Amino acid sequence: MDALSESERERLDRDGYLTLPGIVDRKRIDAMRNRLGELLEVTEQDHAGTLIVNGLLEEQVFDAAWRHPKVLAA
């Protein structure tokens, strides 16, 4: 069975993005924010534009968001 509902898929196709409230619990969100802050403190930002965060993809604390079935389906 598809992880996205028909209405979610339609919104994604129409808008180009999809909000998925509640896929990560509050405790994990707090841990993600804390870790992101720590990583930003040790990553030099010597450019304008998008923030660069060294090691972000290797951080398991973020897996709850990136590996959720709905995110993968989108």
Side-chain angles (χ1 to χ4, degrees):
M1 185 173 186
D2 194 359
L4 296 177
S5 69
E6 183 63 30
S7 65
E8 289 170 332
R9 189 165 296 287
E10 288 172 4
R11 285 185 305 211
L12 180 59
D13 288 343
R14 181 189 66 230
D15 301 334
Y17 68 93
L18 180 63
T19 59
L20 297 168
I23 65 165
V24 179
D25 64 69
R26 176 59 53 194
K27 184 176 179 181
R28 177 61 65 104
I29 290 171
D30 291 342
M32 292 165 77
R33 284 182 179 148
N34 290 335
R35 186 62 184 138
L36 180 59
E38 293 169 358
L39 291 170
L40 285 171
E41 285 179 11
V42 298
T43 304
E44 185 176 337
Q45 302 295 322
D46 59 358
H47 61 281
T50 304
L51 291 174
I52 303 298
V53 182
N54 291 335
L56 185 68
L57 297 177
E58 289 81 28
E59 295 288 329
Q60 290 183 349
V61 70
F62 300 104
D63 286 353
W66 295 333
R67 293 187 179 183
H68 190 281
K70 286 185 177 274
V71 174
L72 294 173

